[in-house]
Each structure stands twice: as C-alpha cells, then as structure tokens.
C-alpha cells in the first residue's frame, strides 16, 4: 500500500499477524519513511552515554484501517540505566524511551510530535511533551486506561501522566527530523526549541550542538523483538502500550506483574489522586 506524505510516496509493508495493536489499527513498516523522519537525539551533557550508549532505535508504524492517520513509533533502547534521582535508585537493566511522529494521511502532512519527557515527582519524574498545531503552551494531567490483554500483556489499568502541549512551530526540525536532547540520567527527552537552538548555535560556529548527536542504528520493532522485550527480559520488562498511539497522552506505560513496587506506587498514586479530586471537585 502506498501513502503520500509531504510530496513523497511511501510503500507500507503490513504485518497482519502482529498482536500488539488495537483492532481498529494495523502494524506496518517502511524503512524509507522511518529513516527520513528519524529523530535527532542530542546528548550535550553525556546522560545518554552513561553507563552505556543506546544500542539502537527501533521503529514500527501504526496505521488506522480508514487510511486517515499514521503514527511512527520510535523506541530507543539502552541495555543499562544507572540513575540516582531525588533519593530514588532508578538503576536497572533494559531501558526504553519513546518518541512518536504523527501524520494526517488525508492531507499528507505531519501533525504532531510526541516526546517521552520529564514530569512532576508524583508521576515518577515522567511526562510527555506534545507538539502540535496549537497557539499557546498548555499543561495538565491526562488520564487513560491501557488496552486489553489481547494487545497489551498487562492491560486494563488506569494511567495518568503529565502532558505539556506546545506549538509545533517552536520545535526544531533538521531536514524533516525533529531534534530532541537527553535531559537526565533516566534518559528522558525534551524538544529543542528554535530560540534555544539559535542561542546555542552562533552563526560563526555553525551547528555545534549536532556534534553531540547520539549515533545509533535504526531497526524494526517487529513482533519478535517486542515479544522479547515484553516476556524475555527478566528485569525491567517493556511496559509501553503501543496498541493505540493516537489518543492522548499517546505514550502509555504500566509496569509488568514482576515489578511489584512500581505497580503498588501506580495504584497508590491513583488512589491519592481520586481522593484529591473528590475533595476539590476537580
């Protein structure tokens, strides 16, 4: 199947046997498309190389059956994370951080970029940045339930995260590739804004920030690799729900049954949030 995006034609290769997707969508691949829009990940402070640089960036496409929307999911994989954050020990094997790029296939345009970023402590330091066609910055909590067990191994859990909505025209693109940087030891990102880019890259020095790009190969996040991440990684199994990236907050996470303390903390945060809402009426 061919799609037309920003003046270029791409052939989508579907995998109808991939189970990790909601019924209304299909999993597909297109190496040319994924490479053209592959995010540029900068690491000026060295967080992304400590203790080891990422092994690779894996991608998959989620395509809706009505041929209206397409999302490229990029997952960056580190085999090890060492991080002490706010008196918490976040050291573990197998770290995965996500970036998404969304397209409207009816108009053939890029509509949003979603970045796994930092958030308030009550959300474990995690949040999302959503760059889309809005006029001003907005922030707030978004609540959603993960998918059923058929498409997400430990599904049907409430998930709440902090989302920062921002104008997409503020985000730097270099030849169609969005630019982000690693901002702390647990490998989350923030988008580089044009005012930051211009301030840090003086005209007489070219683009020195690009010297800090994390170089990594691009591969497919197919069902075999995803099965390995979900089931065969004995510590820190993959907890991202990739079945439906189109509904906000787009990036969903819930820990596996083996992560007892994390699951308890998620339940406790949800319980406390519900009490606060009941008392405040929000």
């Amino acid at each position: 199947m061919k799609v037309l995006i920003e003046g270029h034609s791409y052939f989508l290769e579907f995998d109808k046997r991939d189970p990790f997707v909601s019924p209304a969508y299909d999993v597909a691949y297109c190496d040319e498309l994924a490479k053209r829009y592959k995010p540029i990940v900068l690491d000026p402070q060295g967080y992304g190389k400590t203790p080891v640089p990422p092994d690779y960036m894996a991608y998959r496409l989620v395509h809706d059956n009505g041929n209206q929307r397409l999302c490229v999911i990029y997952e960056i994989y580190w085999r090890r994370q060492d991080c002490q954050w706010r008196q918490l020990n976040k050291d573990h094997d197998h770290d995965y951080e996500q970036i998404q790029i969304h397209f409207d296939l009816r108009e053939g345009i890029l509509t949003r970029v979603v970045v796994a970023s930092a958030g308030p402590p009550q959300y474990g330091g995690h949040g999302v940045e959503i760059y889309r066609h809005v006029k001003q910055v907005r922030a707030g909590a978004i609540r959603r339930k993960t998918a059923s067990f058929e498409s997400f191994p430990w599904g049907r859990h409430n998930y709440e995260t902090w989302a920062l909505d921002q104008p997409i025209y503020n985000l730097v693109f270099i030849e169609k590739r969005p630019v982000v940087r690693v901002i702390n030891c647990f490998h989350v990102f923030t988008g580089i804004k044009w005012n930051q880019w211009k301030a840090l890259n003086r005209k007489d020095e070219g683009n020195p920030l690009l010297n800090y790009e994390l170089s990594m190969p691009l591969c497919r996040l197919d069902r075999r690799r995803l099965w390995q991440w979900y089931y065969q990684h004995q510590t820190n199994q993959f907890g991202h729900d990739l079945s439906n990236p189109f509904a906000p907050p787009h990036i969903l996470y819930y820990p596996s049954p083996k992560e007892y303390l994390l699951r308890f903390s998620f339940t406790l945060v949800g319980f406390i949030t519900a009490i606060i809402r009941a008392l405040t009426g929000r």
Side-chain angles (χ1 to χ4, degrees), residues 15 18 29 59-60 220-227:
D15 181 1
D18 194 304
Y29 301 93
Y59 87 91
R60 63 171 27 209
R220 295 184 176 188
L221 184 53
D222 57 22
R223 53 190 160 92
R224 294 177 181 83
R225 190 182 303 274
L226 202 49
W227 179 275

Side-chain angles (χ1 to χ4, degrees), residues 14-253:
F14 288 92
D15 181 1
K16 298 289 187 179
R17 297 173 58 192
D18 194 304
F20 304 113
V21 66
S22 293
Y25 310 113
D26 294 308
V27 172
Y29 301 93
C30 176
D31 296 345
E32 181 186 2
L33 173 64
K35 184 177 179 180
R36 184 181 296 272
Y37 291 92
K38 178 186 176 185
I40 295 173
V41 181
L42 306 180
D43 187 31
Q45 295 172 291
Y47 292 121
K49 295 181 180 178
T50 304
V52 292
D55 288 53
Y56 52 79
M57 181 185 293
Y59 87 91
R60 63 171 27 209
L61 310 180
V62 179
H63 171 269
D64 90 34
N65 295 340
N67 198 34
Q68 297 184 1
R69 295 177 294 180
L70 181 71
C71 175
V72 188
I73 299 175
Y74 296 93
E75 287 281 355
I76 301 174
Y77 169 74
W78 284 264
R79 61 183 179 274
R80 178 67 186 173
Q81 171 185 294
D82 288 347
C83 181
Q84 299 288 328
W85 180 78
R86 291 180 180 268
Q87 289 76 51
L88 295 176
N89 185 346
K90 296 175 73 70
D91 295 355
H92 56 71
D93 295 327
H94 311 304
D95 188 46
Y96 330 81
E97 298 296 342
Q98 188 178 144
I99 300 170
Q100 299 176 358
I101 300 181
H102 293 248
F103 300 96
D104 183 333
L105 296 180
R106 295 164 297 186
E107 299 184 32
I109 59 173
L110 189 153
T111 58
R112 68 186 62 197
V113 175
V114 184
V115 177
S117 190
Q122 61 265 39
Y123 300 101
H126 287 271
V128 296
E129 294 179 358
I130 303 171
Y131 295 90
R132 62 189 184 95
H133 296 287
V134 294
K135 294 183 179 180
Q136 59 185 4
V137 177
R138 292 177 293 185
I142 298 179
R143 188 175 180 85
R144 191 173 143 207
K145 186 182 287 291
T146 58
S148 65
F149 297 109
E150 289 77 13
S151 53
F152 179 53
W154 26 89
R156 296 197 180 106
H157 289 281
N158 290 323
Y159 175 69
E160 185 169 22
T161 193
W162 186 258
L164 188 62
D165 227 8
Q166 303 187 66
I168 196 169
Y169 55 77
N170 286 343
L171 182 64
V172 174
F173 286 81
I174 304 294
E175 297 180 348
K176 300 186 181 297
R177 301 172 63 192
V179 183
V180 305
R181 66 183 177 95
V182 186
I183 56 175
N184 58 30
C185 62
F186 52 96
H187 298 154
V188 295
F189 316 114
T190 189
I192 298 287
K193 319 303 186 295
W194 277 111
N195 59 342
Q196 300 168 336
W197 183 259
K198 292 174 182 178
L200 294 170
N201 290 299
R202 295 194 308 239
K203 291 183 179 180
D204 60 342
E205 294 183 357
N207 292 326
L209 276 181
L210 291 179
N211 294 330
Y212 295 99
E213 181 178 358
L214 280 176
S215 178
M216 66 195 92
L218 182 67
C219 61
R220 295 184 176 188
L221 184 53
D222 57 22
R223 53 190 160 92
R224 294 177 181 83
R225 190 182 303 274
L226 202 49
W227 179 275
Q228 179 188 41
W229 286 9
Y230 277 134
Y231 296 109
Q232 295 179 348
H233 284 177
Q234 295 303 307
T235 59
N236 198 42
Q237 292 171 280
F238 187 62
H240 292 180
D241 177 359
L242 306 181
S243 62
N244 175 11
F246 299 107
H250 306 292
I251 297 176
L252 297 184
Y253 172 81

Side-chain angles (χ1 to χ4, degrees), residues 4-23:
L4 184 66
I5 297 174
E6 296 186 335
H8 291 267
S9 181
Y10 301 96
F11 180 78
L12 304 187
E13 176 187 341
F14 288 92
D15 181 1
K16 298 289 187 179
R17 297 173 58 192
D18 194 304
F20 304 113
V21 66
S22 293

